[in-house]
Amino acid sequence: MKILTGAQIKEADRHTIENEPISSIELMERASNSIAQWICNNVEKDYPLLFLTGKGNNGGDGLAVARILYHAGYNCSVHMAFDKEQLTEECRYNLERLPSGVTSSDLENISGNTVIIDALLGTGVKGAIKEPLLPIIDKVNSLRNSVISIDLPSGMISEYGNKNQKIIKAGITLTLEFPKLAMLLPEAGEYCGEIKILPIGLSSQYISNEETSYHYIAPGFIGEIKQTRDKFAHKGTYGHALLICGARGMAGAAILATGSALRSGCGLVTTHIPAEERYAVNMVYPSAILSLDDESYFSGLPANASKYSSIGVGCGLGQAPQTADALKQLLVSVYKPVVIDADALNIISDHYKMRHNIPAGSILTPHIGELKRLIGEWTSEEEKIEQVKRLAANLKSVIIVKGAHSMVCLPDGNCYFNSTGNSGMAKGGSGDVLTGYITGLLARGYSSEHAAILGVYMHGLAGDKAAKKYGTEGMNSRDLIKYL
Ligand SMILES: NC(=O)C1=CN([C@@H]2O[C@H](COP(=O)(O)OP(=O)(O)OC[C@H]3O[C@@H](n4cnc5c(N)ncnc54)[C@H](O)[C@@H]3O)[C@@H](O)[C@H]2O)[C@@H](O)CC1
Ligand SMILES: [K+]
């Protein structure tokens, strides 16, 4: 699914209105019906609804939703931040249609069970928030009430520039047609709470012609790239993954990576670990083959390293000087993509020249700390993304920036944001599971691009299933393997 900018979405609205038999008011009504339907399905009628409305079309959405839900039997009140004369035409039209039973609220004495529907600002926001919206946003953020934002949490700028922005803190954001880039970035993404994308039928012709380098990984795309399994396959059909991991005391990382590789569908998995750690891996995953290192760290290449269909390196690897030498030897001698994680990334950051040895098509999986070591500090999200794009192009490799909505940056500059996963995955070992799984997918025959996209999506989905079973506090990285 494409992620369009606020300006592109405005243009998509305009194109739809000009080229399809639908007026601006009707499009707003369609969006509002979609929002109202979601609220009907998810909020009990016992909860009073308080709508905060601005003067633009986001406010128009709010007023239309208030009308629809009032007729559906909800107790609705509205706090309008502006006078009638200041409203856009669409917004005023919806104010005039508001039933008299929808009361007016002055924002005082809001009961604790009131659900606040935030329709102050949408994609039309520009720059720092001005009066009279500032105190309203402060007031809402000081309350403990549930907040549902329409399209965007009010104040959020659709793309960049949210560092010091005043934004409503929503529990749920019902965003229209597309997620917005800022929702997926750490700078302000937290303000959205849960994101629900509601289609409103903008012109599909316009959307397909519009260019963007940002995409949201939707289930439909995953269905398109997923490969089928041949009935007459044998263990040689789906490749042999090699994982190089686990220095002394770090067998856990090797176990997690091995377990997830075994879930990827590849034919064989070999794990290269220090001989002294072999029993741990062997006991948990007898299906894996072991390649043993005589040292208590990665000190030399496994025999015939080039015979493997894919190689993943880094989980629990340590940074011994001999390991750095062995890593260099690996990168210069195998002519195939390598999945590079954790300590392997740290070694590459410390040995700048080594990055020139990374085979094209490799997949680097840094978390934010590892990314900083690779590219240095950044001052804005925009700068970070531009630098990641530059690194991916220079290395001709895929870079996965791990975190909420992990970003998969391809060498051609296209960035795919993950739609699955949860905060329960922010725990030790989750990255090892991802590395093992992606290495397995590469062996299985996926391209680097598809292995990375499918990998982050399935990894996040497993996390969501684990969270359902154990909760985000209780789940741990080993649970992810069960659900892959
Ligand atoms: N036909 C359409 O155009 C549709 C629009 N839709 C809704 O319309 C929204 C976009 O509407 P608009 O473009 O009217 O914009 P908004 O409703 O987001 O608000 C724009 C208004 O906010 C004011 N404003 C901008 N920056 C501000 C700041 N920093 N501090 C205080 N006030 C500020 C502007 O003066 C302007 O009047 C979408 O987010 C969506 O909710 C949907 O109803 C779908 C159809
Ligand atoms: K809003």
Side-chain angles (χ1 to χ4, degrees):
M1 175 187 285
K2 286 182 177 179
I3 299 172
L4 299 186
T5 62
Q8 285 174 310
I9 294 170
K10 215 176 193 105
E11 207 38 42
D13 285 346
R14 200 187 58 76
H15 185 95
T16 307
I17 292 161
E18 270 179 16
N19 295 281
E20 291 182 16
I22 188 164
S23 68
S24 179
I25 293 283
E26 287 162 341
L27 188 58
M28 185 175 283
E29 192 69 11
R30 204 196 271 173
S32 302
N33 270 311
S34 197
I35 295 159
Q37 188 63 58
W38 189 94
I39 294 175
C40 275
N41 292 342
N42 292 280
V43 182
E44 300 284 340
K45 292 202 172 83
D46 313 339
Y47 294 94
L49 306 179
L50 166 59
F51 291 79
L52 310 177
T53 60
K55 62 179 169 174
N57 286 357
N58 193 254
D61 288 346
L63 292 168
V65 175
R67 166 178 34 87
I68 297 165
L69 290 180
Y70 173 79
H71 288 310
Y74 284 82
N75 166 1
C76 298
S77 60
V78 171
H79 177 81
M80 285 181 49
F82 298 91
D83 296 331
K84 187 174 174 183
E85 303 71 53
Q86 295 171 284
L87 310 184
T88 59
E89 194 185 328
E90 289 88 342
C91 192
R92 199 171 328 129
Y93 173 86
N94 278 303
L95 175 64
E96 282 160 5
R97 293 181 71 193
L98 206 59
S100 56
V102 177
T103 53
S104 165
S105 163
D106 57 6
L107 286 192
E108 294 307 319
N109 305 318
I110 299 168
S111 67
N113 67 342
T114 298
V115 177
I116 297 175
I117 314 290
D118 154 39
L120 292 169
L121 288 164
T123 51
V125 68
K126 287 193 179 66
I129 301 306
K130 294 186 280 285
E131 296 289 345
L133 301 182
L134 218 45
I136 303 178
I137 295 179
D138 279 335
K139 166 94 188 181
V140 172
N141 287 352
S142 74
L143 300 171
R144 296 175 69 91
N145 294 61
S146 301
V147 178
I148 300 176
S149 286
I150 294 181
D151 207 14
L152 284 153
S154 292
M156 179 181 278
I157 300 165
S158 310
E159 291 82 44
Y160 303 116
N162 286 297
K163 202 168 183 177
N164 300 311
Q165 186 75 343
K166 183 75 78 181
I167 302 171
I168 289 241
K169 179 86 185 76
I172 293 169
T173 297
L174 305 177
T175 195
L176 303 175
E177 197 80 39
F178 314 96
K180 282 69 180 173
L181 185 61
M183 298 179 166
L184 310 173
L185 301 177
E187 199 164 77
E190 192 81 37
Y191 285 91
C192 297
E194 243 181 277
I195 302 168
K196 305 283 176 197
I197 303 165
L198 305 184
I200 61 166
L202 293 183
S203 164
S204 51
Q205 184 214 344
Y206 178 88
I207 295 167
S208 62
N209 289 337
E210 202 58 14
E211 301 230 337
T212 177
S213 53
Y214 301 111
H215 313 266
Y216 194 58
I217 307 175
F221 182 57
I222 293 299
E224 279 172 34
I225 64 176
K226 247 187 167 174
Q227 296 178 6
T228 53
R229 208 166 175 86
D230 188 353
K231 179 176 174 182
F232 293 95
H234 54 85
K235 70 182 178 194
T237 312
Y238 291 119
H240 190 164
L242 169 67
L243 295 164
I244 300 174
C245 39
R248 174 186 286 164
M250 298 299 286
I255 291 169
L256 291 168
T258 303
S260 57
L262 287 167
R263 290 268 185 216
S264 67
C266 68
L268 292 163
V269 176
T270 289
T271 304
H272 181 85
I273 41 157
E276 62 195 87
E277 302 284 3
R278 65 183 178 281
Y279 298 113
V281 180
N282 214 206
M283 295 273 287
V284 186
Y285 290 117
S287 318
I289 303 161
L290 296 184
S291 154
L292 303 179
D293 205 302
D294 296 335
E295 300 294 341
S296 56
Y297 44 77
F298 171 42
S299 71
L301 293 196
N304 300 324
S306 297
K307 78 172 184 193
Y308 296 97
S309 329
S310 70
I311 299 173
V313 62
C315 306
L317 201 66
Q319 298 184 53
Q322 295 89 333
T323 298
D325 293 341
L327 178 62
K328 181 169 182 194
Q329 208 189 335
L330 174 79
L331 297 178
V332 297
S333 61
V334 295
Y335 297 99
K336 56 188 52 141
V338 178
V339 182
I340 305 174
D341 186 30
D343 279 331
L345 287 172
N346 292 330
I347 292 172
I348 289 169
S349 297
D350 287 346
H351 299 78
Y352 188 85
K353 281 189 184 159
M354 214 189 273
R355 64 182 69 193
H356 303 304
N357 303 127
I358 295 173
S362 289
I363 303 174
L364 283 67
T365 61
H367 56 54
I368 287 295
E370 288 156 354
L371 184 66
K372 281 185 182 162
R373 271 169 243 144
L374 272 174
I375 63 173
E377 293 281 344
W378 48 86
T379 55
S380 67
E381 285 298 319
E382 190 171 13
E383 186 189 337
K384 178 187 86 181
I385 293 179
E386 284 313 311
Q387 289 207 34
V388 172
K389 284 183 178 179
R390 205 170 308 139
L391 185 65
N394 288 343
L395 301 181
K396 299 186 178 60
S397 291
V398 177
I399 298 177
I400 301 175
V401 181
K402 293 185 293 197
H405 300 293
S406 292
M407 179 180 87
V408 179
C409 179
L410 308 187
D412 65 5
N414 275 299
C415 297
Y416 289 77
F417 289 85
N418 194 21
S419 56
T420 58
N422 60 77
S423 60
M425 298 172 75
K427 290 179 187 156
S430 291
D432 303 325
V433 174
L434 181 68
T435 296
Y437 192 64
I438 292 177
T439 307
L441 291 176
L442 268 182
R444 168 80 175 69
Y446 286 95
S447 66
S448 301
E449 287 81 358
H450 286 177
I453 293 170
L454 184 60
V456 296
Y457 181 86
M458 298 304 287
H459 181 249
L461 199 60
D464 291 341
K465 290 177 185 166
K468 237 184 202 155
K469 173 92 177 159
Y470 302 108
T472 49
E473 300 291 347
M475 63 188 276
N476 64 53
S477 47
R478 196 172 177 192
D479 299 324
L480 303 179
I481 298 174
K482 279 187 233 165
Y483 292 106
L484 273 172

PDB file of all heavy atoms in Angstrom, residues 174-203:
ATOM      1  N   LEU A 174      -8.121   6.848  13.479  1.00  0.00           N
ATOM      2  CA  LEU A 174      -8.833   6.299  12.319  1.00  0.00           C
ATOM      3  C   LEU A 174      -8.384   7.105  11.113  1.00  0.00           C
ATOM      4  O   LEU A 174      -8.850   8.229  10.896  1.00  0.00           O
ATOM      5  CB  LEU A 174     -10.348   6.426  12.526  1.00  0.00           C
ATOM      6  CG  LEU A 174     -10.891   5.793  13.815  1.00  0.00           C
ATOM      7  CD1 LEU A 174     -12.391   6.041  13.944  1.00  0.00           C
ATOM      8  CD2 LEU A 174     -10.593   4.293  13.850  1.00  0.00           C
ATOM      9  N   THR A 175      -7.419   6.577  10.384  1.00  0.00           N
ATOM     10  CA  THR A 175      -6.826   7.376   9.310  1.00  0.00           C
ATOM     11  C   THR A 175      -7.458   7.014   7.972  1.00  0.00           C
ATOM     12  O   THR A 175      -7.802   5.857   7.724  1.00  0.00           O
ATOM     13  CB  THR A 175      -5.293   7.239   9.325  1.00  0.00           C
ATOM     14  OG1 THR A 175      -4.728   8.262   8.524  1.00  0.00           O
ATOM     15  CG2 THR A 175      -4.815   5.882   8.831  1.00  0.00           C
ATOM     16  N   LEU A 176      -7.655   8.027   7.147  1.00  0.00           N
ATOM     17  CA  LEU A 176      -8.433   7.849   5.925  1.00  0.00           C
ATOM     18  C   LEU A 176      -7.558   7.412   4.746  1.00  0.00           C
ATOM     19  O   LEU A 176      -6.563   8.057   4.435  1.00  0.00           O
ATOM     20  CB  LEU A 176      -9.160   9.157   5.585  1.00  0.00           C
ATOM     21  CG  LEU A 176     -10.078   9.684   6.709  1.00  0.00           C
ATOM     22  CD1 LEU A 176     -10.659  11.047   6.352  1.00  0.00           C
ATOM     23  CD2 LEU A 176     -11.194   8.689   7.017  1.00  0.00           C
ATOM     24  N   GLU A 177      -7.922   6.312   4.166  1.00  0.00           N
ATOM     25  CA  GLU A 177      -7.332   5.761   2.929  1.00  0.00           C
ATOM     26  C   GLU A 177      -5.887   5.282   3.053  1.00  0.00           C
ATOM     27  O   GLU A 177      -5.565   4.179   2.667  1.00  0.00           O
ATOM     28  CB  GLU A 177      -7.431   6.784   1.784  1.00  0.00           C
ATOM     29  CG  GLU A 177      -7.237   6.178   0.410  1.00  0.00           C
ATOM     30  CD  GLU A 177      -8.474   5.485  -0.144  1.00  0.00           C
ATOM     31  OE1 GLU A 177      -9.583   5.988   0.049  1.00  0.00           O
ATOM     32  OE2 GLU A 177      -8.321   4.413  -0.763  1.00  0.00           O
ATOM     33  N   PHE A 178      -4.984   6.122   3.580  1.00  0.00           N
ATOM     34  CA  PHE A 178      -3.569   5.739   3.702  1.00  0.00           C
ATOM     35  C   PHE A 178      -3.046   6.054   5.102  1.00  0.00           C
ATOM     36  O   PHE A 178      -3.447   7.060   5.682  1.00  0.00           O
ATOM     37  CB  PHE A 178      -2.665   6.562   2.772  1.00  0.00           C
ATOM     38  CG  PHE A 178      -3.152   6.702   1.388  1.00  0.00           C
ATOM     39  CD1 PHE A 178      -3.865   7.826   0.998  1.00  0.00           C
ATOM     40  CD2 PHE A 178      -2.871   5.725   0.446  1.00  0.00           C
ATOM     41  CE1 PHE A 178      -4.310   7.973  -0.294  1.00  0.00           C
ATOM     42  CE2 PHE A 178      -3.310   5.870  -0.851  1.00  0.00           C
ATOM     43  CZ  PHE A 178      -4.032   6.993  -1.224  1.00  0.00           C
ATOM     44  N   PRO A 179      -2.066   5.249   5.586  1.00  0.00           N
ATOM     45  CA  PRO A 179      -1.343   5.724   6.768  1.00  0.00           C
ATOM     46  C   PRO A 179      -0.478   6.894   6.332  1.00  0.00           C
ATOM     47  O   PRO A 179      -0.141   7.008   5.152  1.00  0.00           O
ATOM     48  CB  PRO A 179      -0.480   4.519   7.146  1.00  0.00           C
ATOM     49  CG  PRO A 179      -0.333   3.725   5.897  1.00  0.00           C
ATOM     50  CD  PRO A 179      -1.538   3.993   5.047  1.00  0.00           C
ATOM     51  N   LYS A 180      -0.156   7.791   7.245  1.00  0.00           N
ATOM     52  CA  LYS A 180       0.711   8.912   6.906  1.00  0.00           C
ATOM     53  C   LYS A 180       2.105   8.606   7.450  1.00  0.00           C
ATOM     54  O   LYS A 180       2.233   7.984   8.509  1.00  0.00           O
ATOM     55  CB  LYS A 180       0.169  10.216   7.501  1.00  0.00           C
ATOM     56  CG  LYS A 180      -1.006  10.822   6.731  1.00  0.00           C
ATOM     57  CD  LYS A 180      -2.266  10.033   6.833  1.00  0.00           C
ATOM     58  CE  LYS A 180      -3.444  10.622   6.066  1.00  0.00           C
ATOM     59  NZ  LYS A 180      -4.609   9.704   6.074  1.00  0.00           N
ATOM     60  N   LEU A 181       3.116   9.083   6.738  1.00  0.00           N
ATOM     61  CA  LEU A 181       4.504   8.728   7.072  1.00  0.00           C
ATOM     62  C   LEU A 181       4.833   8.997   8.545  1.00  0.00           C
ATOM     63  O   LEU A 181       5.426   8.157   9.224  1.00  0.00           O
ATOM     64  CB  LEU A 181       5.459   9.503   6.149  1.00  0.00           C
ATOM     65  CG  LEU A 181       6.939   9.152   6.284  1.00  0.00           C
ATOM     66  CD1 LEU A 181       7.187   7.685   5.957  1.00  0.00           C
ATOM     67  CD2 LEU A 181       7.790  10.047   5.380  1.00  0.00           C
ATOM     68  N   ALA A 182       4.422  10.173   9.055  1.00  0.00           N
ATOM     69  CA  ALA A 182       4.779  10.559  10.426  1.00  0.00           C
ATOM     70  C   ALA A 182       4.261   9.555  11.460  1.00  0.00           C
ATOM     71  O   ALA A 182       4.827   9.419  12.540  1.00  0.00           O
ATOM     72  CB  ALA A 182       4.229  11.943  10.743  1.00  0.00           C
ATOM     73  N   MET A 183       3.177   8.854  11.109  1.00  0.00           N
ATOM     74  CA  MET A 183       2.606   7.876  12.054  1.00  0.00           C
ATOM     75  C   MET A 183       3.537   6.694  12.279  1.00  0.00           C
ATOM     76  O   MET A 183       3.413   5.966  13.256  1.00  0.00           O
ATOM     77  CB  MET A 183       1.287   7.334  11.500  1.00  0.00           C
ATOM     78  CG  MET A 183       0.246   8.385  11.316  1.00  0.00           C
ATOM     79  SD  MET A 183      -1.236   7.637  10.624  1.00  0.00           S
ATOM     80  CE  MET A 183      -2.366   8.971  10.916  1.00  0.00           C
ATOM     81  N   LEU A 184       4.445   6.489  11.324  1.00  0.00           N
ATOM     82  CA  LEU A 184       5.281   5.290  11.345  1.00  0.00           C
ATOM     83  C   LEU A 184       6.691   5.591  11.842  1.00  0.00           C
ATOM     84  O   LEU A 184       7.531   4.703  11.905  1.00  0.00           O
ATOM     85  CB  LEU A 184       5.336   4.695   9.931  1.00  0.00           C
ATOM     86  CG  LEU A 184       3.957   4.530   9.285  1.00  0.00           C
ATOM     87  CD1 LEU A 184       4.095   4.097   7.834  1.00  0.00           C
ATOM     88  CD2 LEU A 184       3.118   3.521  10.053  1.00  0.00           C
ATOM     89  N   LEU A 185       6.936   6.858  12.168  1.00  0.00           N
ATOM     90  CA  LEU A 185       8.282   7.260  12.572  1.00  0.00           C
ATOM     91  C   LEU A 185       8.333   7.497  14.082  1.00  0.00           C
ATOM     92  O   LEU A 185       7.351   7.955  14.672  1.00  0.00           O
ATOM     93  CB  LEU A 185       8.681   8.540  11.825  1.00  0.00           C
ATOM     94  CG  LEU A 185       8.677   8.431  10.295  1.00  0.00           C
ATOM     95  CD1 LEU A 185       9.020   9.778   9.667  1.00  0.00           C
ATOM     96  CD2 LEU A 185       9.653   7.362   9.824  1.00  0.00           C
ATOM     97  N   PRO A 186       9.492   7.210  14.706  1.00  0.00           N
ATOM     98  CA  PRO A 186       9.560   7.320  16.163  1.00  0.00           C
ATOM     99  C   PRO A 186       9.383   8.735  16.712  1.00  0.00           C
ATOM    100  O   PRO A 186       9.003   8.899  17.852  1.00  0.00           O
ATOM    101  CB  PRO A 186      10.966   6.788  16.497  1.00  0.00           C
ATOM    102  CG  PRO A 186      11.696   6.650  15.222  1.00  0.00           C
ATOM    103  CD  PRO A 186      10.707   6.653  14.111  1.00  0.00           C
ATOM    104  N   GLU A 187       9.622   9.746  15.881  1.00  0.00           N
ATOM    105  CA  GLU A 187       9.540  11.131  16.357  1.00  0.00           C
ATOM    106  C   GLU A 187       8.188  11.431  17.013  1.00  0.00           C
ATOM    107  O   GLU A 187       8.110  12.038  18.080  1.00  0.00           O
ATOM    108  CB  GLU A 187       9.768  12.078  15.178  1.00  0.00           C
ATOM    109  CG  GLU A 187      10.147  13.476  15.562  1.00  0.00           C
ATOM    110  CD  GLU A 187      10.733  14.201  14.368  1.00  0.00           C
ATOM    111  OE1 GLU A 187       9.973  14.636  13.479  1.00  0.00           O
ATOM    112  OE2 GLU A 187      11.971  14.298  14.314  1.00  0.00           O
ATOM    113  N   ALA A 188       7.096  11.018  16.375  1.00  0.00           N
ATOM    114  CA  ALA A 188       5.765  11.361  16.904  1.00  0.00           C
ATOM    115  C   ALA A 188       4.756  10.224  16.744  1.00  0.00           C
ATOM    116  O   ALA A 188       3.593  10.384  17.113  1.00  0.00           O
ATOM    117  CB  ALA A 188       5.246  12.610  16.200  1.00  0.00           C
ATOM    118  N   GLY A 189       5.199   9.099  16.210  1.00  0.00           N
ATOM    119  CA  GLY A 189       4.282   7.981  15.939  1.00  0.00           C
ATOM    120  C   GLY A 189       3.494   7.549  17.167  1.00  0.00           C
ATOM    121  O   GLY A 189       2.347   7.111  17.069  1.00  0.00           O
ATOM    122  N   GLU A 190       4.100   7.716  18.322  1.00  0.00           N
ATOM    123  CA  GLU A 190       3.469   7.333  19.595  1.00  0.00           C
ATOM    124  C   GLU A 190       2.117   8.034  19.789  1.00  0.00           C
ATOM    125  O   GLU A 190       1.206   7.492  20.398  1.00  0.00           O
ATOM    126  CB  GLU A 190       4.434   7.737  20.724  1.00  0.00           C
ATOM    127  CG  GLU A 190       4.118   7.193  22.086  1.00  0.00           C
ATOM    128  CD  GLU A 190       4.615   5.752  22.266  1.00  0.00           C
ATOM    129  OE1 GLU A 190       5.702   5.427  21.750  1.00  0.00           O
ATOM    130  OE2 GLU A 190       3.905   5.002  22.912  1.00  0.00           O
ATOM    131  N   TYR A 191       1.978   9.237  19.251  1.00  0.00           N
ATOM    132  CA  TYR A 191       0.750  10.022  19.463  1.00  0.00           C
ATOM    133  C   TYR A 191      -0.482   9.401  18.803  1.00  0.00           C
ATOM    134  O   TYR A 191      -1.600   9.765  19.120  1.00  0.00           O
ATOM    135  CB  TYR A 191       0.934  11.455  18.933  1.00  0.00           C
ATOM    136  CG  TYR A 191       1.803  12.297  19.837  1.00  0.00           C
ATOM    137  CD1 TYR A 191       3.180  12.360  19.653  1.00  0.00           C
ATOM    138  CD2 TYR A 191       1.250  13.007  20.892  1.00  0.00           C
ATOM    139  CE1 TYR A 191       3.996  13.106  20.497  1.00  0.00           C
ATOM    140  CE2 TYR A 191       2.044  13.761  21.740  1.00  0.00           C
ATOM    141  CZ  TYR A 191       3.417  13.806  21.535  1.00  0.00           C
ATOM    142  OH  TYR A 191       4.208  14.545  22.380  1.00  0.00           O
ATOM    143  N   CYS A 192      -0.260   8.485  17.837  1.00  0.00           N
ATOM    144  CA  CYS A 192      -1.408   7.899  17.125  1.00  0.00           C
ATOM    145  C   CYS A 192      -2.099   6.822  17.929  1.00  0.00           C
ATOM    146  O   CYS A 192      -3.240   6.493  17.653  1.00  0.00           O
ATOM    147  CB  CYS A 192      -0.947   7.220  15.834  1.00  0.00           C
ATOM    148  SG  CYS A 192      -0.242   8.342  14.700  1.00  0.00           S
ATOM    149  N   GLY A 193      -1.388   6.206  18.875  1.00  0.00           N
ATOM    150  CA  GLY A 193      -1.936   5.004  19.499  1.00  0.00           C
ATOM    151  C   GLY A 193      -2.049   3.933  18.423  1.00  0.00           C
ATOM    152  O   GLY A 193      -1.192   3.840  17.532  1.00  0.00           O
ATOM    153  N   GLU A 194      -3.151   3.190  18.452  1.00  0.00           N
ATOM    154  CA  GLU A 194      -3.361   2.161  17.424  1.00  0.00           C
ATOM    155  C   GLU A 194      -3.805   2.833  16.127  1.00  0.00           C
ATOM    156  O   GLU A 194      -4.611   3.773  16.176  1.00  0.00           O
ATOM    157  CB  GLU A 194      -4.496   1.249  17.874  1.00  0.00           C
ATOM    158  CG  GLU A 194      -4.094  -0.185  18.109  1.00  0.00           C
ATOM    159  CD  GLU A 194      -5.300  -0.989  18.531  1.00  0.00           C
ATOM    160  OE1 GLU A 194      -5.625  -0.954  19.730  1.00  0.00           O
ATOM    161  OE2 GLU A 194      -5.911  -1.610  17.657  1.00  0.00           O
ATOM    162  N   ILE A 195      -3.319   2.341  15.010  1.00  0.00           N
ATOM    163  CA  ILE A 195      -3.707   2.951  13.721  1.00  0.00           C
ATOM    164  C   ILE A 195      -4.692   2.026  13.003  1.00  0.00           C
ATOM    165  O   ILE A 195      -4.418   0.835  12.830  1.00  0.00           O
ATOM    166  CB  ILE A 195      -2.460   3.129  12.812  1.00  0.00           C
ATOM    167  CG1 ILE A 195      -1.409   3.990  13.519  1.00  0.00           C
ATOM    168  CG2 ILE A 195      -2.847   3.717  11.470  1.00  0.00           C
ATOM    169  CD1 ILE A 195      -0.051   3.966  12.832  1.00  0.00           C
ATOM    170  N   LYS A 196      -5.841   2.585  12.611  1.00  0.00           N
ATOM    171  CA  LYS A 196      -6.803   1.824  11.795  1.00  0.00           C
ATOM    172  C   LYS A 196      -6.959   2.577  10.479  1.00  0.00           C
ATOM    173  O   LYS A 196      -7.237   3.784  10.486  1.00  0.00           O
ATOM    174  CB  LYS A 196      -8.172   1.739  12.474  1.00  0.00           C
ATOM    175  CG  LYS A 196      -8.138   1.180  13.879  1.00  0.00           C
ATOM    176  CD  LYS A 196      -7.979  -0.322  13.885  1.00  0.00           C
ATOM    177  CE  LYS A 196      -7.854  -0.852  15.293  1.00  0.00           C
ATOM    178  NZ  LYS A 196      -7.321  -2.211  15.333  1.00  0.00           N
ATOM    179  N   ILE A 197      -6.775   1.864   9.380  1.00  0.00           N
ATOM    180  CA  ILE A 197      -6.875   2.527   8.073  1.00  0.00           C
ATOM    181  C   ILE A 197      -8.274   2.288   7.511  1.00  0.00           C
ATOM    182  O   ILE A 197      -8.686   1.132   7.359  1.00  0.00           O
ATOM    183  CB  ILE A 197      -5.808   1.962   7.106  1.00  0.00           C
ATOM    184  CG1 ILE A 197      -4.410   2.149   7.720  1.00  0.00           C
ATOM    185  CG2 ILE A 197      -5.901   2.625   5.745  1.00  0.00           C
ATOM    186  CD1 ILE A 197      -3.339   1.335   7.048  1.00  0.00           C
ATOM    187  N   LEU A 198      -8.991   3.369   7.238  1.00  0.00           N
ATOM    188  CA  LEU A 198     -10.356   3.231   6.712  1.00  0.00           C
ATOM    189  C   LEU A 198     -10.379   3.683   5.251  1.00  0.00           C
ATOM    190  O   LEU A 198     -10.128   4.858   4.965  1.00  0.00           O
ATOM    191  CB  LEU A 198     -11.332   4.082   7.529  1.00  0.00           C
ATOM    192  CG  LEU A 198     -11.363   3.846   9.042  1.00  0.00           C
ATOM    193  CD1 LEU A 198     -12.454   4.701   9.689  1.00  0.00           C
ATOM    194  CD2 LEU A 198     -11.612   2.384   9.380  1.00  0.00           C
ATOM    195  N   PRO A 199     -10.673   2.780   4.336  1.00  0.00           N
ATOM    196  CA  PRO A 199     -10.740   3.179   2.927  1.00  0.00           C
ATOM    197  C   PRO A 199     -11.940   4.100   2.685  1.00  0.00           C
ATOM    198  O   PRO A 199     -13.003   3.896   3.270  1.00  0.00           O
ATOM    199  CB  PRO A 199     -10.925   1.848   2.173  1.00  0.00           C
ATOM    200  CG  PRO A 199     -11.045   0.780   3.184  1.00  0.00           C
ATOM    201  CD  PRO A 199     -11.004   1.367   4.561  1.00  0.00           C
ATOM    202  N   ILE A 200     -11.744   5.136   1.858  1.00  0.00           N
ATOM    203  CA  ILE A 200     -12.884   6.014   1.538  1.00  0.00           C
ATOM    204  C   ILE A 200     -13.094   6.112   0.026  1.00  0.00           C
ATOM    205  O   ILE A 200     -13.803   6.981  -0.453  1.00  0.00           O
ATOM    206  CB  ILE A 200     -12.723   7.418   2.164  1.00  0.00           C
ATOM    207  CG1 ILE A 200     -11.467   8.146   1.649  1.00  0.00           C
ATOM    208  CG2 ILE A 200     -12.707   7.336   3.676  1.00  0.00           C
ATOM    209  CD1 ILE A 200     -11.466   9.634   1.970  1.00  0.00           C
ATOM    210  N   GLY A 201     -12.432   5.216  -0.712  1.00  0.00           N
ATOM    211  CA  GLY A 201     -12.687   5.139  -2.152  1.00  0.00           C
ATOM    212  C   GLY A 201     -12.158   6.319  -2.948  1.00  0.00           C
ATOM    213  O   GLY A 201     -12.823   6.796  -3.865  1.00  0.00           O
ATOM    214  N   LEU A 202     -10.927   6.783  -2.617  1.00  0.00           N
ATOM    215  CA  LEU A 202     -10.314   7.814  -3.472  1.00  0.00           C
ATOM    216  C   LEU A 202      -9.958   7.180  -4.814  1.00  0.00           C
ATOM    217  O   LEU A 202      -9.782   5.956  -4.901  1.00  0.00           O
ATOM    218  CB  LEU A 202      -9.072   8.399  -2.792  1.00  0.00           C
ATOM    219  CG  LEU A 202      -9.312   9.210  -1.516  1.00  0.00           C
ATOM    220  CD1 LEU A 202      -8.004   9.783  -0.988  1.00  0.00           C
ATOM    221  CD2 LEU A 202     -10.318  10.337  -1.758  1.00  0.00           C
ATOM    222  N   SER A 203      -9.818   8.000  -5.843  1.00  0.00           N
ATOM    223  CA  SER A 203      -9.597   7.509  -7.207  1.00  0.00           C
ATOM    224  C   SER A 203      -8.430   6.519  -7.285  1.00  0.00           C
ATOM    225  O   SER A 203      -7.272   6.879  -7.042  1.00  0.00           O
ATOM    226  CB  SER A 203      -9.312   8.700  -8.119  1.00  0.00           C
ATOM    227  OG  SER A 203      -8.748   8.247  -9.319  1.00  0.00           O
TER     228      SER A 203
END
